[in-house]
Amino acid sequence: MHDVAALAGVSHQTVSRVLNDFEGIRPETRERVLAAIEELGYRRNLAARALVTGQTQTIGMIGPVVPDIGPLSTLHALERSARAVGLHTMMTSTEPEPAAVRQALEFLLGRGIDALALAAQHREIIAAVEDLDPGIPVVHLLTGGTPAGASASIDQVEGARLAMQHLLDLGHTRIQHVAGPQSYTEARLRADAYRQIMAERGLESLPIVEGDWTADSGFHAADALVADATAVFCGNDQMAFGLLHHLTEKGIVVPRDMSLVGFDDTGEARHSVPPLTTVRQDFAAVGQLAVDLLAAQLGRGVAPAVQILEPEFVARYTTAAPRS
Amino acid sequence: MHDVAALAGVSHQTVSRVLNDFEGIRPETRERVLAAIEELGYRRNLAARALVTGQTQTIGMIGPVVPDIGPLSTLHALERSARAVGLHTMMTSTEPEPAAVRQALEFLLGRGIDALALAAQHREIIAAVEDLDPGIPVVHLLTGGTPAGASASIDQVEGARLAMQHLLDLGHTRIQHVAGPQSYTEARLRADAYRQIMAERGLESLPIVEGDWTADSGFHAADALVADATAVFCGNDQMAFGLLHHLTEKGIVVPRDMSLVGFDDTGEARHSVPPLTTVRQDFAAVGQLAVDLLAAQLGRGVAPAVQILEPEFVARYTTAAPRS
DNA sequence: CGCCACGGGGTGAACGTTAACGCAAGCCCC
DNA sequence: GGGGCTTGCGTTAACGTTCACCCCGTGGCG
């Protein structure tokens, strides 16, 4: 910086002023400084800057340990959006145990982050972070529920309603739900919504089969379905794929003998055999929303009004009217 | 730090020594310092540390803009491994254009990174980074080819050989290849290996159909297959799913009428209908390997001998002998 | 003609850490 | 018994920014 100042014939402070877009700099001076910066290939040292300002311009992200495409997509989009407004991101992951969460948080805090994006929907992780109180703005990602603080989510209840409505409209009454792990807020919200909607229609809720999001667990869930179920609302696409596989293997034809609705609309959903009817979640939009929220809290830009995005129903070929 | 020093009755330098595991500290003094740190909840300021050492203990990662589960898994694993040795990671992504790559690199360099992990297999990105010469250790991820510098990869030629060998052993001679975009080194390696192996057997290489990794492109590739092909070696699982979908829709039964081999072994491969025969790549292991490589270059630990991991063939139910 | 306000820019200190060096006490050895 | 060496710790000066404050010239006004 001193070299730049010397070359431009000004003081280091003026260089700093130019860099930080301060007013009260004569255009010609600014040009000289900019030219000197260009010529020397000068790059501002962010460590020194962070030292004196106490801010790192960095958003810390806590993700799940299992590389799920959903949360990962959100985080990926968050990074892009953050970069667009000059913020950096730093990501780490944690197991859902208080000690591990604490360690992950300490890791990020130790590195210096100005805000935290929590993409771990596990209840224990959320609780642990709340407990630790990081002392910086926090936004919860994809929890889908009622936000304690700021949160960027997709409306899970509405998503479940879209899926269920479709099955009900087709005439199904014996609808079963294959849920994700109930330790995940989103899984619980979908399961609750399932029960709620069945009750609203005066229908009997069938036992909820709990999977672990993987296609494998969906495969095994097929064995746990009640005999007279005619449709299954799956907590995510992966489990739907596993279920579809097992049903097909058993000679149960989808959608003739059984209707199936997934959740997420992953890239493969369009090309399963048959293509999966599902509910689309725009994970990337959640990342963008989170950055808007955080940027506002960091004093840049204004907070968006909407914090809950709407899911979208995608009709394909795994649903049909029940056989009478 | 001064507060800690005061409480422990030592100088700040001694605190620093304890923090950095220097020798020549009396155990009892170290205990006093540690106790003071604990009591005050002191956390070292990494910005100040980076300022004076010129090192950030951070690995920068450049990933693709499209959130593919493969590279993302690798990056995710890289983060975990890095954290285990006390390194941080910072990720960004870039389009495959020199200007964008430059910007991404500047972004990371500006933030201060000690090493770079390049998880963008696009040739243009690799070239651009090489061109810019970041001046820090670089490791290429998943390029699968001959490493210019350090690289952590899975042997693509061997993977292709496993897939092809299987089809050849079944008696196929009219084998076609649906490749990924040839701008990706790995796609090109697989395609080259396909041609090479066909030639070795004295078989005619069929026209290579180029997709874009997505299931959609695999779906469309079905229209471009030659009439008498009896087997397809797909560049990845996603395209195989799309292909499988289209073939099934056309009434072509897999594997009776057509054999199909994928690549990657994604979580869904086990549960397609029928389950996909494929070649497994251990993406997480690549991330771990990359950290080992980088840590060695950063002066911690010793570099692993192996830089190329072996893929593994996974036999499922999309392949059979050709109908005679 | 003198004073003041203000635009434009410079000066020194401070942020929290590590590196380089200094220094005292104790020990060994001839 | 004194000189050198080791052990254990303290002192001072950086690192590259930004912040708070000061200073100088110029123009307007009474």
Side-chain angles (χ1 to χ4, degrees):
Chain A
M1 186 149 160
H2 281 90
D3 295 345
V4 171
L7 182 59
V10 297
S11 75
H12 66 273
Q13 176 59 357
T14 300
V15 177
S16 174
R17 280 195 258 256
V18 169
L19 248 24
N20 294 308
D21 274 333
F22 270 63
E23 315 176 357
I25 302 274
R26 214 172 336 201
E28 102 187 28
T29 310
R30 144 182 262 97
E31 288 309 319
R32 272 217 317 284
V33 171
L34 257 22
I37 288 176
E38 180 68 23
E39 185 174 338
L40 264 43
Y42 165 78
R43 200 182 291 138
R44 158 159 67 181
N45 183 324
L46 276 178
R49 182 173 205 217
L51 180 58
V52 66
T53 61
Q55 300 221 326
T56 54
Q57 315 295 334
T58 300
I59 298 175
M61 309 188 295
I62 294 187
V65 281
V66 288
D68 271 339
I69 191 68
L72 245 37
S73 296
T74 295
L75 260 17
H76 200 253
L78 198 157
E79 187 277 327
R80 294 192 64 185
S81 307
R83 184 151 52 106
V85 297
L87 290 169
H88 302 251
T89 55
M90 172 161 284
M91 134 104 154
T92 190
S93 56
T94 178
E95 301 277 355
E97 290 146 27
V101 175
R102 185 198 169 81
Q103 209 174 344
L105 197 54
E106 281 293 324
F107 184 76
L108 289 176
L109 254 26
R111 188 64 175 81
I113 55 172
D114 293 347
L116 182 67
L118 201 54
Q121 311 95 317
H122 208 286
R123 299 160 65 87
E124 259 194 73
I125 297 181
I126 296 172
V129 169
E130 213 150 284
D131 220 49
L132 258 37
D133 183 27
I136 50 176
V138 176
V139 60
H140 292 256
L141 264 41
L142 296 169
T143 54
T146 53
S151 89
S153 286
I154 295 165
D155 191 335
Q156 299 298 310
V157 172
E158 176 60 18
R161 195 167 289 276
L162 288 171
M164 292 296 293
Q165 187 71 51
H166 174 71
L167 292 173
L168 290 165
D169 285 352
L170 286 171
H172 290 276
T173 54
R174 303 295 287 172
I175 305 173
Q176 198 156 7
H177 180 45
V178 174
Q182 293 298 295
S183 47
Y184 284 69
T185 55
E186 24 166 11
R188 187 174 288 245
L189 282 166
R190 288 174 206 162
D192 287 348
Y194 159 78
R195 275 184 287 249
Q196 167 85 25
I197 292 163
M198 289 298 268
E200 281 174 10
R201 303 301 174 108
L203 296 172
E204 177 196 357
S205 284
L206 302 183
I208 286 181
V209 184
E210 186 173 337
D212 66 359
W213 296 135
T214 66
D216 278 352
S217 73
F219 184 85
H220 292 118
D223 289 329
L225 296 181
V226 300
D228 64 342
T230 61
V232 177
F233 165 39
C234 274
N236 74 348
D237 286 354
Q238 326 266 334
M239 294 193 296
F241 294 145
L243 194 51
L244 179 59
H245 172 206
H246 204 160
L247 292 175
T248 305
E249 212 168 62
K250 281 179 167 178
I252 299 171
V253 177
V254 175
R256 193 194 62 190
D257 306 328
M258 180 78 80
S259 285
L260 223 55
V261 180
F263 212 103
D264 284 353
D265 193 26
T266 60
E268 291 83 16
R270 186 192 295 269
H271 296 289
S272 61
V273 180
L276 185 67
T277 294
T278 188
V279 176
R280 179 177 303 154
Q281 300 202 83
D282 189 345
F283 290 107
V286 173
Q288 166 77 58
L289 178 58
V291 170
D292 292 346
L293 244 29
L294 249 23
Q297 289 200 51
L298 257 34
R300 341 177 154 199
V302 52
V306 51
Q307 300 196 359
I308 299 275
L309 301 173
E310 291 308 315
E312 179 189 351
F313 182 73
V314 182
R316 294 211 180 92
Y317 305 99
T318 50
T319 53
R323 303 170 78 181
S324 47
Chain B
M1 185 149 158
H2 282 89
D3 295 345
V4 171
L7 182 60
V10 296
S11 75
H12 67 274
Q13 176 61 356
T14 300
V15 177
S16 173
R17 280 194 259 257
V18 169
L19 249 23
N20 293 307
D21 273 332
F22 270 62
E23 314 174 358
I25 302 277
R26 214 171 339 199
E28 103 187 26
T29 309
R30 146 183 260 97
E31 288 310 318
R32 272 215 318 281
V33 171
L34 257 21
I37 288 176
E38 180 69 22
E39 186 174 337
L40 265 43
Y42 164 78
R43 201 182 292 137
R44 159 161 65 181
N45 182 325
L46 276 177
R49 182 170 207 229
L51 180 59
V52 67
T53 60
Q55 302 221 323
T56 54
Q57 316 296 334
T58 300
I59 299 176
M61 310 189 295
I62 294 187
V65 281
V66 287
D68 271 339
I69 190 67
L72 246 37
S73 297
T74 295
L75 260 17
H76 199 253
L78 198 157
E79 188 277 328
R80 295 192 64 186
S81 306
R83 185 151 51 106
V85 298
L87 290 169
H88 302 251
T89 55
M90 171 161 283
M91 135 105 155
T92 190
S93 56
T94 178
E95 301 278 354
E97 290 146 27
V101 175
R102 184 196 170 81
Q103 209 174 343
L105 197 54
E106 281 294 324
F107 183 76
L108 291 176
L109 254 25
R111 187 65 176 80
I113 54 172
D114 294 347
L116 182 67
L118 202 53
Q121 310 95 316
H122 210 285
R123 298 158 66 88
E124 258 194 75
I125 297 182
I126 296 171
V129 169
E130 214 150 283
D131 220 49
L132 259 37
D133 183 25
I136 49 175
V138 176
V139 60
H140 293 256
L141 263 40
L142 296 169
T143 55
T146 51
S151 89
S153 288
I154 295 164
D155 192 335
Q156 298 299 311
V157 173
E158 176 61 18
R161 196 167 289 275
L162 288 170
M164 292 296 293
Q165 186 72 50
H166 173 70
L167 292 174
L168 291 165
D169 286 352
L170 285 171
H172 291 277
T173 55
R174 303 293 288 171
I175 306 172
Q176 199 156 5
H177 179 45
V178 174
Q182 294 297 294
S183 47
Y184 284 68
T185 55
E186 25 168 9
R188 187 173 288 245
L189 283 166
R190 287 174 206 161
D192 287 349
Y194 159 77
R195 276 184 287 250
Q196 167 84 26
I197 293 163
M198 289 298 268
E200 280 174 11
R201 301 303 173 108
L203 296 173
E204 179 198 354
S205 283
L206 302 183
I208 286 180
V209 184
E210 186 173 337
D212 66 359
W213 294 135
T214 66
D216 278 352
S217 72
F219 184 85
H220 292 118
D223 289 328
L225 296 182
V226 300
D228 65 340
T230 61
V232 177
F233 164 39
C234 274
N236 74 348
D237 285 354
Q238 325 267 334
M239 294 193 295
F241 294 145
L243 194 52
L244 179 59
H245 172 207
H246 203 159
L247 292 175
T248 305
E249 213 168 61
K250 282 180 167 177
I252 299 171
V253 177
V254 174
R256 192 195 63 190
D257 307 327
M258 180 77 80
S259 284
L260 223 54
V261 180
F263 211 101
D264 283 352
D265 194 25
T266 59
E268 291 83 16
R270 185 193 295 267
H271 295 291
S272 61
V273 180
L276 185 68
T277 294
T278 189
V279 176
R280 178 177 304 155
Q281 300 202 84
D282 189 345
F283 290 106
V286 173
Q288 166 77 58
L289 179 57
V291 170
D292 292 347
L293 242 30
L294 250 23
Q297 289 200 53
L298 258 33
R300 344 178 152 199
V302 53
V306 52
Q307 300 196 0
I308 300 274
L309 301 173
E310 292 307 317
E312 179 189 351
F313 181 73
V314 182
R316 293 209 180 94
Y317 306 99
T318 51
T319 53
R323 302 170 80 179
S324 46

